[in-house]
Amino acid sequence: MSVSNLLENWAQFRHFHPIDDKPHDPYKWAMSIDLDACTGCNACSVACYAENNLPVVGKEKYQHGHGMHWMRIERYWDEGLGVAGGSDFPDHGAQFLPMMCQQCEAAPCETVCPAAATNHTADGLNSQIYNRCVGSRYCSANCPFKVRYFNWYDYPTTDNVWPAEMNQQLNPDVTVRSKGVMEKCTFCVQRLHAAKGTAKNEGRLVHDGDVQTACQQVCPTGAITFGNLVDHESKVHKQWQSQQVELDKDAQVKDQKEGGSGLRGYRIFEELRPYPSVMYLERVRESAI
Amino acid sequence: MEKDTNESAAWTKRENESPIPKHERRASEKDIRESIAWAKINQDVLKSMETPRKLYWVILFFAFAAFSVGVGCEVYQYQNGMGVSNKNNPHAWGLYISTFIFWIGMSHSGTLLSAILHLMHADWRKPIFRFAEALTTFSLMTAGLFVMVHLGRLWQFYYSVPYPDERGLWPNFQSPLLWDAMAIFTYLSSSILFLYIGMIPDLAICRDHLHEGWRKNLYTWLSLGWEGTDRQWRNFRVTYLTIACFLIPLAVSVHSIVAADFAMSQQPGWHVTSFPAYFVAGALYSGCSAIITLFIILRYVFKFEEYMTLPILKKTVRLTFAIAMIWTYLNAVEFASVWYSHDQASKDVLIQKVIGPFAPFWWGMIFCGSVVPLTLAFKRFQTNIPVLFVVSLLLNLGMWLERWMIVAPTFSHGYYPWTWDHDQWPGFVQWGMVFASFGWFTMLFMGFCKVFPSVSMYEVKEMVYHRKLHLKKSETAEQGAH
Amino acid sequence: MIDSGLDRRDFLKVLGWGGAAVALSGCGNTSVEDGKETVVSYVEAADYVIPGIGVYYNSTCAQCDAGCSINGRVREGRVLKLEGNPASAINRGRTCGLGQAGVQHHYNPDRVREPLLRHGDKNEVITWDKAYALIAEKLSGAKGDEVAFLSGGVSGHLKVLLGNYLDSIGSKNHFVYEALAPAVVRAANKKAYGVEMPRYNINKAKVVLSFGADFLGAWVSPVHFSQQYAQFRKGVDGQRGVLIQVESKMTLTGANADRWIPVRPGTEGILALGIINALGTASGDIAAAVKGYDRARVSKETGVPPGQIDKIAALLKLRSPSLVLAGSAAEGYAHGSQNAAAINLLNQVLGNVGKTVEASTSVPFPQMAPAKGNTVALKSLNDGLAAGKYKVLFCYAANPVFTAPGAMKFKDHLAKAGFKVAFAHYLDETALQADLVLPLDSALEDWGTQVPEYMTEGAQINIQQPLMEKLHANTRGMGDILLALVKQRRAEEYKSFDDYYAYLRGAMLLNKNALGGSGADDDTFWNETLTKGIVKLAGSAGTLSGKASAAGLTLPVPSAADVQYPLQLIPGVTASLRDGRHANQPWLQESPDPLTTIVWDSWVEIHPKKAAELHITEGDIVEVTSRSGSIRAQAYLFPGIHPDAISVPLGRGHEALGRYAKGYGANPFQILDAVFDQETGELAMHETRVKVSKTGQRVVVVKDEGAAGGKQMGRKIAVLVTTDEVDLSKEA
Amino acid sequence: MSQRHLLALFNNFEDAEAAIYELRAADIKGFKFDDLTLKSPIEHHEVESVLGQRSANVQWFSLGGSLVGGLLGFFLISGSQANFYAQMKGGKPIVPFPPNFVLTFEMCVLGGVFITILGFLICAGLPAKRSPLYNAKVSEDQIGVLVKADESAMPKIKGVFLNHDVLEIQEEVSK
Amino acid sequence: MHRLLRLSILLMGLSVAVSGYAADAPQPTLTTEDDLGPQVVQPIEFPHDRHAGLRNPGDPLKGGMEIDCMYCHTYARRSAVAGIPPLQKCIGCHQSIETVRNKPRIQELFKYWDAKKPVPWKKVHDLPDFVRFNHERHIKRFVEQQNRPTQEACGYCHGDVKQMTVARRSKALSMGWCANCHQKDHPVTAAGGTPVGNQAYWYGFQKPVADAAGGEYKAPDTNNIKAQGPNDCWQCHK
């Protein structure tokens, strides 16, 4: 009875998230990425293609910006490079940043979807339901990170995307998306569900290390940490805590310390208040050289 | 006026051929001749529904041709996916949404002229409000088409319609797109009803003066047995007034909701507080200029020189000029507030428009939207039909560019520099669809004008009657004074 | 493991196609669809085969020679994804992108499926029996030394079997060719340390000074080094390791360096000697040898500012132990050996030998140790072919027609060989020149053992086992083919082995005790071995000699500008495409190059300053001309390259191989000059001089990077701090 | 006593008005003034001074309609937001006010307009069959006065009309 | 005015009805218990009634054998898919049951066995491919943790299979139908499957209530707190 439900539970329907409520019990999936360890090798991106049935769109479509890499590695140069007064060479190397859906707690994409195809799940994920998507692309328009990818063509039926034998590699746990739907990084929700199912069967919670995302699992330098932020034993929780980054803040206390806090945890576009679930650790460069 | 170009001279010549005696036209700046007989009004308007000039058929043919292009594009896009329209991941919307806003904006003219002027008892609206309302209705229909065309999975559009279904799912009422859908639905149905209600007495006239055929049946059904009794007129007046009252806030809400599509988002260049006002002003602006365009076309095609008179045109033009200046001001406010803020991302978008790859279009918009209307301030142009025709088309072009300049630069130049993309231009499918929308609109509009009276006969009669009454009164008063 | 009776196609339609069927049905219809699909069912099924549940098998990655152990997820008989095997000391559960794409090698639609007899451009499908008979026939008409076998790096039992086969033919002409092997460094190491490939402890070093060693990208064992690198960055006692990369073209490792030093191409050795000089700690003949390399001269010759040299020297002095690496950029010159020797000398001077450079362990079965590929082999084969010495040529795991320098004219010489047999996965450029093409099983269908060249702590033998049933009925494992061939000659000796699997099992069981299986019964041992996928061995640790000396060290002064060919061509080695053998795996093609973010195409890296001089802008199609030929590719303005050099990545520009490789990009191998290292005779890859000219054509560079380039435009996206701003010891 | 209809057509409103004034003053037996209907091609609101204030209740429909629309809108939306599948979106409450306000407003207008139209049809007695005494001229330029009266009153009424330049008088054919 | 009143009442009634229908969770249009789904033609007409049906004490040759569902559909408790038993399993029994050996259906079965080909059974309960129903979780919950009879637990979705020969769908298996169950009270227990913590009820918005009486079935570990079942979209669509 929806109307009676509405009236009975009025207070709960009026909670703002994540400031007012803390529904993250027992799970809140979160990630931290150490940019100092990330070498930009692209293994995570390829692993994501393998795990999540991402189509290879080919040169021409890639040129038109139709690439479907849920996880993309961005390469930045120092701001001083090549400008007057700066160096002609990237003396401190490049800077790599793996960028995928930040699973924002207050995701700008969720509110704008007309069909309610993208929602916030109880364990802190930004769900994308392909079969509900009508393809208005409003979510992508409103994503500050631009990490949502639209199926501009029907890739399953496109030549050379998954030809003859190649389609046998498709992961049966992940729906292959047809034309006209939006998709994005899911934190490998199929793996999370399998792990949760196993844990439930055994009457326990998912322990840290029970489940890894595909990108985390492959990362040669272990730059990606993934886990349950609520679980105090999890590595990701310890990292967030030691970096004094809090989920429901739009500016961290540590950042207001004069002279710096000596910590390097930050979240991208925190000030826009999407409350991302991915903490990055700043890249470090030696000052003595 | 006489000193103008050859083309102008030709128009003047045509003007001379018009059924209004020259001296009468010249004599007074009257909106309408009081001496027109009511029977002649009936006769003229009814004739327009039967024998328009040949140009009518030419327009209809080209409109249909343009529409067919769009059908082809849509079939192609439907089968192959949205990618064929040359959109990509930052450029998710492209021309469809900007043209959607354009048509929504255009729809505001009908309401403005009809409802606001009706409430203000500005009776010069009477000969032109009918086609303005039709303009509202059909441009809304055109706009609605773009919502559909824009969807990646058109065949699933009903997922965003609120109806109780077996799944127990509802659309997301938080989405401004849903507000849009709701507002447009409300606006469209209200506009159609407003148009229809206002047309009932005229439908009765049509019914009475046709003898047989499908049209007779159509008018008989649609006129609901209207006889013009005092009871009918009385309730008609109240109803018309009430709906006009409903429509004004509704119209404002519609375009501010369309503005909310952008303002409610978080993107630089969109997340602007003044957007609703800006959108509404832009909407009225494009609506008014569209009215001028259609005024000129209808006046010629249906030989309405006696009803759609130059003084009325002049009033419309002056209104348009005022709105153009409001729009210009709001434009300036928007840029100023962005500039004054320290939001680097929004500034970047603005700079991108002014000197980036969009600069030609942006400056085109400023030229068409703010500079061109300055001509309207000159009295000599206010009744110069060829000039007005060109100017009104330019204004519309400017308004279309404005919508494009709202939508596209934020996509190409959003928060995230890595995804900036300055090379993606709309593909032929998008242009085809935009082109076709004009055909579709013209087709519907011209069709309407042929089937239904595009000048409100009873209101013109009222106008003539009241003017005459007024004239008589003032004459009496004059005589009394003597 | 997999039931032979299973109708694979049928059941793939049921579960495997589930995803695809969604797409085809348009995701929309919520009504159930009874009776339209067939449900999966087996005839017989092992207990652990449960539909919907993935089973994991251990095997070894065959995408490169590093020997990472993998763990394949198999569901309903299909291998879906490869993960790293955590038990392996090499990759510890991790893989690289190239390794991930292994499944695409297996499922590749362009694999050769039938034995093909080639007549010009036409293929005739023949049976295996006929193919074997043909080989026997051709061999009977040739003397032992008229038979040559060209292969890539091989190891393990396959190497043994191959050796036996060549022995049975009486041929000693086994050419082991790898286009991108660190062969000069091996030789220099042998001289300096007494071993070809010592163990580098990047994780123990406080400073790593790398002369063009792309150990994070494509050098030797990148996944292993990446893990060490992560530890190195975390540092000992919160003191983070410092990476200094000296190279003329920025590699992935260079992009991760604290200080990247664009050295003039070829002067790496001079810089190394200059640093020794600046350190001032050397004595004896070393001190004498470096005496002339004062900072002014070194700076002038290398282009590195004097202050920089001092800073490096000071840091190296301050933080010990350090590690100096000589990589492919240093070795790729005519004086490559000298460069490498000078760099190794620096290691010696810094006292790193024994600390961060340690002796490697080797497998106690020398016959299984890897046959290391190099380019000398190619040269001698090429010479032999040119002389028309060979009547029969076998080619396995190498694509010399694609990778041989254009100046060698290998393709022309190859035509002189009488009968060419290619064992191939794809119809690559070399296979197209062959007379007989024999289709190979993919690494995920085949049995094998592998001994990696670069060993980490302890030695290990990697097991390769099929992760699924053969995709194509008529492909064969290389082991099976060799066994069949060797049986032609020594039937008696091998008659007890039905197939390579039996051979492998037999061979492993024979040495059960040495392989750590003493006491276990055969089946237990064997099953355990397969389960683990790795056999860990005590191994025999060698010792390092540490006898690097400056004797004979002569480094040429950089040559004066070449007016006709003013630029140095640096062939870029990317982590995903390497020498191009995997270019037909679309994930790799679409995986952006980390530094330029370009996909699906080749490019010419030019420093923006140089480009401005030449009026070249991004997307200009430029012609790169060397003395040996020319190629065309799009220009990309890249700040991470020395202005006197340009770089074109290797691996693309295939004329064959498959639908994802053919016609994409240009092949810089084609324009390499045939210059060789004076000491080892290895091909000097970096010694080609070129000129660049605009063709007038322009394209849009297909890349992931947006219009902002690599700039963050004032946003706080990827943040950089220096070590004095952070306290790493606080971190969890 | 049987009643009959009679339609008189006038050339202009003044004549008709004068005739109606006279009819009102005449107090003819068998004729109630409320049974007089004016048919005109345009609305003459001056007619009120002759006919008196006759009721027009459409505005009450408007009020009711917009209230019903608004309430329905709010509860339909809020209720459906609070269904089983309620999912948090963008950190906003499940039942958020700003969107629901917007939609309630739209529903309010929608309800208002629809019910107003309904009210109009009800109040104006539409749709209806045209009365047999209808002249197409009424929709052109003539004013019609339709009266319903006892047969006995007819001659008097006709007389009044004839006094005022009536163009034509149509009578219902007696049964 | 009567007409007006009637119309108003009609209108109000209509709106109340629509809003009532709309606001409350709509009931899926079910195929009724008697109304079986479409007949699916199987390669062998498998008699479920003979295998799973109740024994006939009078004539053992006529009645069923009361075989547990999961004797054959053994994957259901271990995997998301229930699966069809391998042919081996059928043969395992049937090669020693001489009495029916010559029946045409059994002969057909052996034909497949001799050819070593799997029987191409058709899916009967075939959900759209974007729906991921997990058999294992449901079996664990109802059969293992709540000790309900297998046939009852399976019957929730599959109907009374023991009465059928070839299985036919007898439930709607639509989204609303699934939600019907999920919307009912779920016990929140450590072992009961629904995770302990706030998440269980937070999004379903039904506060947990202590139910002293308990349901008909009392799971041993229940601490009698009830909430709604999992409701997030990713539960079934991934």
Side-chain angles (χ1 to χ4, degrees), chain C residues 332-334 375 378-379 382-383 404-410 413 626-629 668-677 681-689:
Chain C
Y333 297 92
T375 47
L378 178 71
K379 185 170 183 294
N382 191 43
D383 293 346
M408 275 191 178
K409 307 215 181 323
F410 184 85
H413 297 157
S626 76
R627 292 185 171 82
S628 308
F669 279 119
Q670 275 175 14
I671 59 166
L672 291 187
D673 291 340
V675 182
F676 298 93
D677 178 51
E682 288 288 324
L683 180 69
M685 295 274 285
H686 291 48
E687 276 290 17
T688 306
R689 295 197 68 84

Side-chain angles (χ1 to χ4, degrees), chain A residues 28-83:
Chain A
K28 159 65 205 165
W29 304 113
M31 200 176 254
S32 75
I33 298 180
D34 186 350
L35 297 182
D36 198 33
C38 173
T39 64
C41 70
N42 252 328
C44 48
S45 183
V46 180
C48 187
Y49 272 76
E51 174 73 19
N52 291 305
N53 302 341
L54 302 188
V56 168
V57 300
K59 185 179 178 187
E60 198 182 324
K61 286 178 180 139
Y62 204 102
Q63 178 184 339
H64 287 103
H66 296 154
M68 300 296 277
H69 39 35
W70 284 1
M71 182 151 212
R72 59 172 189 249
I73 307 293
E74 295 162 5
R75 186 267 297 117
Y76 293 104
W77 299 117
D78 293 344
E79 293 291 308
L81 178 69
V83 297

Side-chain angles (χ1 to χ4, degrees), chain C residues 8-28:
Chain C
R8 181 180 309 284
R9 300 261 156 230
D10 221 35
F11 97 177
L12 277 169
K13 250 181 223 155
V14 182
L15 288 173
W17 281 65
V22 169
L24 301 172
S25 66
C27 292

Side-chain angles (χ1 to χ4, degrees), chain B residues 172-173 231 283 377 448:
Chain B
N172 177 16
F173 293 105
R231 177 183 169 196
F448 172 86

